[in-house]
Protein backbone atom coordinates (compact mmCIF):
# COMPACT_ATOMS: atom_id res chain seq x y z
CA UNK A 1 0.00 0.00 0.00
CA UNK A 2 2.97 2.31 0.60
CA UNK A 3 4.02 2.25 -3.06
CA UNK A 4 0.48 2.92 -4.24
CA UNK A 5 0.22 5.90 -1.91
CA UNK A 6 3.61 7.21 -3.13
CA UNK A 7 2.45 6.96 -6.75
CA UNK A 8 -0.81 8.77 -5.98
CA UNK A 9 0.96 11.56 -4.07
CA UNK A 10 3.58 11.87 -6.83
CA UNK A 11 0.87 12.04 -9.48
CA UNK A 12 -1.02 14.79 -7.63
CA UNK A 13 2.13 16.79 -6.81
CA UNK A 14 3.34 16.50 -10.40
CA UNK A 15 0.04 17.73 -11.81
CA UNK A 16 -0.13 20.64 -9.38
CA UNK A 17 3.46 21.56 -10.21
CA UNK A 18 2.69 21.44 -13.95
CA UNK A 19 -0.32 23.69 -13.40
CA UNK A 20 1.74 26.24 -11.45
CA UNK A 21 4.70 26.38 -13.84
CA UNK A 22 4.04 28.93 -16.60
CA UNK A 23 4.10 27.71 -20.18
CA UNK A 24 3.71 24.23 -21.55
CA UNK A 25 5.59 21.25 -20.17
CA UNK A 26 6.28 18.45 -22.59
CA UNK A 27 7.20 15.58 -20.29
CA UNK A 28 4.80 12.62 -20.37
CA UNK A 29 2.46 11.88 -17.49
CA UNK A 30 4.48 8.91 -16.22
CA UNK A 31 7.60 11.09 -15.99
CA UNK A 32 5.65 13.89 -14.28
CA UNK A 33 4.50 11.34 -11.70
CA UNK A 34 8.09 10.27 -11.06
CA UNK A 35 9.12 13.93 -10.73
CA UNK A 36 6.29 14.43 -8.24
CA UNK A 37 7.42 11.40 -6.24
CA UNK A 38 10.95 12.80 -6.14
CA UNK A 39 9.52 16.14 -5.02
CA UNK A 40 7.74 14.42 -2.15
CA UNK A 41 10.95 12.68 -1.07
CA UNK A 42 13.02 15.87 -1.26
CA UNK A 43 10.29 17.90 0.47
CA UNK A 44 10.14 15.37 3.30
CA UNK A 45 13.91 15.57 3.74
CA UNK A 46 13.82 19.38 3.84
CA UNK A 47 10.93 19.33 6.33
CA UNK A 48 12.82 16.86 8.51
CA UNK A 49 15.92 19.09 8.40
CA UNK A 50 13.77 22.11 9.31
CA UNK A 51 12.19 20.21 12.19
CA UNK A 52 8.63 20.36 10.87
CA UNK A 53 8.22 16.83 9.51
CA UNK A 54 5.82 15.71 12.24
CA UNK A 55 3.42 18.21 13.73
CA UNK A 56 0.05 17.80 15.38
CA UNK A 57 -2.76 17.92 12.85
CA UNK A 58 -2.06 18.48 9.16
CA UNK A 59 1.60 18.93 8.26
CA UNK A 60 1.14 22.07 6.16
CA UNK A 61 4.82 22.99 6.18
CA UNK A 62 5.84 19.51 5.02
CA UNK A 63 3.30 19.65 2.20
CA UNK A 64 4.52 23.11 1.20
CA UNK A 65 8.12 21.86 1.06
CA UNK A 66 6.99 18.89 -1.03
CA UNK A 67 5.14 21.14 -3.47
CA UNK A 68 8.05 23.57 -3.86
CA UNK A 69 10.45 20.67 -4.44
CA UNK A 70 8.05 19.14 -6.98
CA UNK A 71 7.77 22.47 -8.84
CA UNK A 72 11.55 22.73 -9.07
CA UNK A 73 12.03 19.10 -10.09
CA UNK A 74 9.22 19.16 -12.67
CA UNK A 75 10.57 22.39 -14.17
CA UNK A 76 14.18 21.22 -14.36
CA UNK A 77 13.20 17.70 -15.35
CA UNK A 78 11.07 18.98 -18.22
CA UNK A 79 13.96 21.07 -19.51
CA UNK A 80 16.24 18.03 -19.41
CA UNK A 81 13.58 15.90 -21.08
CA UNK A 82 13.19 18.40 -23.89
CA UNK A 83 16.95 18.73 -24.34
CA UNK A 84 17.34 14.95 -24.64
CA UNK A 85 14.24 14.58 -26.79
CA UNK A 86 15.30 17.47 -29.01
CA UNK A 87 18.73 15.92 -29.57
CA UNK A 88 17.14 12.63 -30.59
CA UNK A 89 14.86 14.39 -33.09
CA UNK A 90 17.78 16.32 -34.58
CA UNK A 91 19.80 13.12 -35.04
CA UNK A 92 16.91 11.48 -36.88
CA UNK A 93 16.58 14.36 -39.32
CA UNK A 94 20.30 14.68 -40.05
CA UNK A 95 20.97 10.97 -40.49
Amino acid sequence: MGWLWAIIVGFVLGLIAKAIIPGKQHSPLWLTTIFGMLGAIVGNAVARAAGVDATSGIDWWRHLFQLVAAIIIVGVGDMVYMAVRGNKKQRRHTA
Side-chain angles (χ1 to χ4, degrees):
M1 190 65 175
W3 281 104
L4 179 62
W5 187 243
I7 292 169
I8 292 169
V9 168
F11 177 75
V12 170
L13 278 173
L15 288 180
I16 293 172
K18 265 188 155 182
I20 291 174
I21 297 171
K24 181 176 180 186
Q25 290 76 45
H26 300 88
S27 55
L29 194 55
W30 64 268
L31 191 57
T32 302
T33 302
I34 292 173
F35 292 155
M37 291 170 68
L38 291 173
I41 292 168
V42 171
N44 282 340
V46 172
R48 193 174 309 114
V52 294
D53 60 327
T55 59
S56 59
I58 299 173
D59 296 329
W60 292 112
W61 283 107
R62 181 173 55 97
H63 297 314
L64 181 66
F65 286 130
Q66 289 175 336
L67 181 59
V68 169
I71 291 169
I72 293 168
I73 292 171
V74 167
V76 172
D78 189 65
M79 285 189 290
V80 171
Y81 174 78
M82 286 307 294
V84 170
R85 184 174 167 226
N87 287 341
K88 286 182 181 178
K89 279 188 173 183
Q90 288 175 356
R91 284 187 212 143
R92 286 185 199 152
H93 294 294
T94 59

